[in-house]
Amino acid sequence: MDRRTRTTLLGLLLLAAALRFPTLGAQSYWADEAATVDVLRHPLGELLGAVRDQESTPPLYYLLAWVWTQPLGDSEAALRALSAVFGLATVPVAAAIGARLGGARAALAAAALVATSPLLVWFSQEARAYALLVLMAGASVLLLLRVLELPSRGRLLAWGACAGAALATHFFALFLVAGEVVWLAVALRADRRLLAMALAPPAVLGLALLPLALDQRSAGRASFIGEEPLGTRLAQVPKQLLVGYDAPGEVVAAVLAGLLALAALAGLRRAGGPVRALAAVAAASVLVPLLLVVAGDDYLVTRNLLAVAVPLLVLLAVGTAGLPPRAGTVVAVALATVGAATAIAVQVDDGSQRENWRDATAAFGHEATGRGRAIVVLPGSGRVAVEHYLPGARLLRRPEVVDGLVVLGVAGTSAGGRTDAPAPPGQVPGFAPPTVRRASTWSAAAYAPADPAGAAVDPGALGALGPGAVVLLQRP
């Protein structure tokens, strides 16, 4: 790259950092992130067992995050910073892929699209494995292209190690890696020894992970995915890959980004063999999970397809480089502008952010007094997050006498979009009328016993206060 290209790339890296790092601690942990923290609080010797028993993904992210949190802690900003680092590192990886497939213009366009992608910004600010998955998947594509340029033992082993790391991060990396294996097999068909050397690391690691995958699958922790209509999830995939989840003006942003993406794809008409091969691998990485739905294994949701995010964005970037220079620049800049504007809009709009259990649980203090208090969580999927923010809160299993009751309701998401925060009941038997505090995305109601001696609460009765409610007991 010449000096101008390197300077522009540096500016895009700074933009990517500006979209990711300053607001890392602004949002509450939501349920899945709180589950990550719970796993990471196990001693290292128990970590793999906790991943097996509590998660539905491989352990690589958790091992890295455990090491990360030892000196830095597990606050929202500290833990999410690891994902932000992964997200930032993905930008030059995408640029390098773009440079190999379409030259300097494609390299800058790829860096711009990855830096400003609302979906990649979102997962760069989430304490889960997805940002690492995106980085490892992109790096595997880059290393594969290096192998195809000049096959060597070192390059093949580097690709194999990276492909194995992708599999150790998320099981759905398998579909991208399998496509890469086919690509390699065709390219190296004349040298089976080199091919076997490349395939050994991911094959060995994949076999080692198979018992974990079967064990986690039998637990059914991802069964909730199939509860949402398949048609809705299919429609969400292209929209979310372009402009992320919820955002102000998301319909306009999605339509505009869709039109710009179609214009970029038009630039791929005369693309060379490597570009067509990458497009085939990316398409297969989406189509195979869809075929699994037909076979009865329904895990089709956008975040499980994130291994194709970098390949797809690079393909759009190469497409813009294939258009006339001025038109290609306009399309690339417009796509990046829509992405950056959408990412910023999410960060300033409470209704587009994660479930705000942090503020809801703080409404009436974090500590219980006296004989403790019952906590009703609406929806019940927020239980892990509430247990994280309210020390000592655990599932209420039998009737107890308490000195208070708190009903927490937080706005969430569903197949149809954002849901409103559940309204607290105006009256609960045995308690005085509540003191209610509200914000745009949550409500909290505190009830004092009608009898100063306390009130008896039953988990079954309190669970009827809202659909899917979970009842906790918090002792001092």
Side-chain angles (χ1 to χ4, degrees):
M1 296 182 183
D2 58 27
R3 177 179 295 182
R4 181 178 179 182
T5 303
R6 291 197 301 268
T7 301
T8 305
L9 180 57
L10 177 59
L12 292 171
L13 277 169
L14 293 174
L15 174 61
L19 290 174
R20 288 162 172 77
F21 283 95
T23 55
L24 284 175
Q27 297 182 44
S28 165
Y29 279 142
W30 73 294
D32 282 12
E33 290 181 294
T36 297
V37 176
D38 188 56
V39 168
L40 296 180
R41 288 182 174 176
H42 287 78
L44 182 59
E46 301 175 7
L47 187 68
L48 294 181
V51 172
R52 179 197 63 216
D53 296 337
Q54 298 175 224
E55 293 290 348
S56 55
T57 55
L60 180 58
Y61 166 78
Y62 301 94
L63 291 168
L64 297 176
W66 189 92
V67 174
W68 179 271
T69 56
Q70 296 312 296
L72 298 177
D74 57 17
S75 68
E76 291 90 346
L79 180 53
R80 287 171 176 162
L82 178 60
S83 294
V85 169
F86 295 145
L88 187 63
T90 305
V91 176
V93 169
I97 299 172
R100 281 169 167 75
L101 295 178
R105 288 177 57 203
L108 292 180
L113 296 184
V114 169
T116 60
S117 164
L119 192 66
L120 297 190
V121 171
W122 178 270
F123 285 111
S124 293
Q125 296 188 314
E126 181 155 295
R128 298 292 285 173
Y130 300 108
L132 179 59
L133 167 65
V134 172
L135 174 60
M136 290 294 98
S140 73
V141 172
L142 174 59
L143 292 170
L144 175 61
L145 292 174
R146 284 173 54 81
V147 169
L148 298 177
E149 290 170 359
L150 181 63
S152 69
R153 177 180 298 179
R155 292 186 175 193
L156 283 164
L157 289 176
W159 173 83
C162 188
L167 292 173
T169 301
H170 198 286
F171 293 122
F172 268 58
L174 170 65
F175 306 115
L176 179 74
V177 171
E180 292 177 341
V181 167
V182 173
W183 192 354
L184 268 178
V186 173
L188 300 179
R189 58 186 178 275
D191 195 333
R192 295 182 178 178
R193 183 181 62 84
L194 280 179
L195 180 61
M197 183 186 303
L199 298 184
V204 170
L205 192 53
L207 289 174
L209 290 170
L210 183 59
L212 174 65
L214 294 175
D215 187 64
Q216 291 178 335
R217 179 179 180 273
S218 66
R221 298 187 191 99
S223 60
F224 66 92
I225 293 174
E227 296 173 1
E228 295 189 355
L230 177 61
T232 300
R233 286 180 280 135
L234 282 173
Q236 287 174 339
V237 169
K239 177 264 180 185
Q240 291 173 351
L241 285 172
L242 284 174
V243 295
Y245 293 115
D246 300 301
E250 62 178 341
V251 174
V252 174
V255 171
L256 182 55
L259 293 174
L260 291 168
L262 289 175
L265 291 175
L268 295 176
R269 287 175 296 181
R270 293 185 292 275
V275 174
R276 293 196 298 271
L278 180 60
V281 169
S285 299
V286 176
L287 292 176
V288 173
L290 181 57
L291 292 176
L292 286 178
V293 175
V294 178
D297 283 329
D298 189 355
Y299 301 105
L300 188 69
V301 68
T302 302
R303 62 180 176 271
N304 283 344
L305 303 178
L306 279 172
V308 303
V310 169
L312 290 177
L313 291 174
V314 169
L315 288 170
L316 292 179
V318 173
T320 65
L323 297 172
R326 182 171 296 179
T329 300
V330 168
V331 171
V333 170
L335 263 174
T337 301
V338 171
T342 303
I344 293 170
V346 169
Q347 295 179 6
V348 300
D349 176 52
D350 290 345
S352 300
Q353 297 174 7
R354 292 170 177 82
E355 298 170 356
N356 194 354
W357 293 106
R358 181 174 61 190
D359 288 353
T361 53
F364 294 102
H366 291 104
E367 302 293 338
T369 59
R371 284 165 291 193
R373 57 185 177 178
I375 311 289
V376 178
V377 183
L378 297 169
S381 58
R383 171 191 168 184
V384 178
V386 172
E387 290 176 343
H388 172 76
Y389 287 113
L390 295 181
R394 292 295 180 264
L395 192 66
L396 178 62
R397 300 183 182 278
R398 60 179 184 273
E400 296 278 357
V401 175
V402 297
D403 286 339
L405 167 68
V406 175
V407 178
L408 304 174
V410 170
T413 57
S414 69
R418 201 77 182 178
T419 61
D420 294 329
Q427 187 67 47
V428 176
F431 292 88
T435 299
V436 179
R437 296 175 182 170
R438 300 177 185 273
S440 60
T441 60
W442 58 268
S443 65
Y447 302 76
D451 185 342
V457 293
D458 180 84
L462 292 180
L465 294 179
V470 168
V471 184
L472 306 177
L473 177 67
Q474 185 188 22
R475 295 291 195 192

